[in-house]
């Protein structure tokens, strides 16, 4: 039978879970580009948070801590996928793939362009424009400085504009990511 402290911690975690699960799954989806893996990554992150709940609930910004855990899990998943693709490429050489004039919606274009960004730039762009986090909150989530957030976001957006062409500024990227992943989960300020 649980103690009063354990029951209070459990109820507090349950409320945190309900409030942030969808946002964390959306973040995982936007970072990895894998809709099927998003819920698994969010669940893994929340399980890790539960195991360290005393430390997490004492943190100044528990939601930022949770976003950082999701970002780290996503990075690990991406690195594993890249290693796996390289191994497969050694044994399964692909022929030349051609697509003549694809008719693809802007949302798909933005998703593809995001997948082409290095992880840190992608994470900064997604957190700033899809989740509408401040530079400070983005820095907290990723464990980097505000200056790094500013430069990586700027470089990431410039690269997206180069990849997508003119007219795909922050508003279009923000709208495309919001349309793809649903409305943002709100800010934790």
């Amino acid at each position: 039978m649980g103690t009063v402290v354990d029951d209070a911690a459990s109820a507090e975690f349950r409320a945190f879970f309900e409030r942030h699960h969808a946002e964390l799954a959306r973040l995982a989806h936007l970072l990895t580009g894998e809709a099927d893996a998003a819920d698994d990554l969010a669940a893994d992150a929340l399980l890790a948070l539960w195991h360290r709940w005393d430390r997490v609930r004492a943190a100044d910004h528990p939601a930022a801590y949770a976003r950082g855990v999701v970002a780290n899990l996503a990075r690990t998943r991406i690195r594993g996928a890249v290693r796996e693709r390289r191994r497969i490429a050694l044994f399964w050489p692909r022929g030349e793939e051609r697509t003549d004039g694809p008719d693809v919606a802007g949302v798909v274009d933005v998703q593809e362009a995001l997948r082409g960004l290095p992880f840190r730039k992608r994470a900064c762009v997604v957190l700033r424009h899809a989740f509408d986090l401040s530079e400070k909150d983005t820095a907290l989530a990723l464990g980097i400085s505000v200056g790094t957030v500013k430069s990586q976001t700027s470089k990431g957006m410039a690269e997206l504009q180069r990849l997508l062409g003119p007219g795909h500024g922050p508003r279009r990227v923000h709208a495309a990511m919001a349309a793809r992943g649903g409305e943002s989960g709100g800010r934790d300020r």
Side-chain angles (χ1 to χ4, degrees):
M1 182 170 202
T3 65
V4 174
V5 173
D6 291 341
D7 291 343
S10 179
E12 189 177 32
F13 178 77
R14 192 172 313 122
F16 181 88
F17 178 96
E18 294 295 327
R19 191 169 45 253
H20 296 288
H21 177 264
E23 173 191 349
L24 295 174
R26 184 167 161 249
L27 173 60
H29 179 232
L30 288 169
L31 291 176
T32 63
E34 300 175 22
D36 296 339
D39 280 332
D40 291 342
L41 284 173
D44 289 347
L46 286 161
L47 179 62
L49 293 171
W50 171 244
H51 289 300
R52 292 175 271 191
W53 186 242
D54 287 340
R55 188 177 339 151
V56 174
R57 71 195 248 202
D60 290 337
H61 304 282
Y65 188 96
R67 290 183 199 111
V69 172
V70 169
N72 287 333
L73 289 172
R75 180 183 306 117
T76 300
R77 182 174 184 86
I78 290 166
R79 286 179 179 162
V82 168
R83 281 192 302 272
E84 183 66 22
R85 275 186 240 135
R86 286 180 183 153
R87 281 193 294 266
I88 290 170
L90 290 173
F91 300 104
W92 195 289
R94 291 197 287 184
E96 191 175 317
E97 292 182 21
R98 289 188 137 181
T99 307
D100 296 322
D103 183 21
V104 182
V107 172
V108 175
D109 291 341
V110 170
Q111 287 288 317
E112 187 63 31
L114 277 171
R115 279 192 281 285
L117 293 178
F119 182 80
R120 187 174 283 179
K121 286 180 187 173
R122 180 180 346 152
C124 287
V125 168
V126 166
L127 288 170
R128 293 282 293 128
H129 293 286
F131 282 81
D132 207 21
L133 292 183
S134 69
E135 291 164 342
K136 181 182 174 189
D137 289 341
T138 300
L140 280 171
L142 297 176
I144 58 178
S145 71
V146 172
T148 301
V149 169
K150 289 178 181 181
S151 70
Q152 293 295 293
T153 303
S154 175
K155 290 175 184 177
M157 288 304 295
E159 199 166 329
L160 284 176
Q161 285 181 310
R162 183 185 57 75
L163 291 169
L164 295 169
H168 277 83
R171 285 189 184 148
R172 296 261 327 254
V173 171
H174 178 91
M177 286 190 280
R180 179 75 172 148
E183 292 303 313
S184 68
R187 298 182 199 190
D188 183 37
R189 297 197 194 269

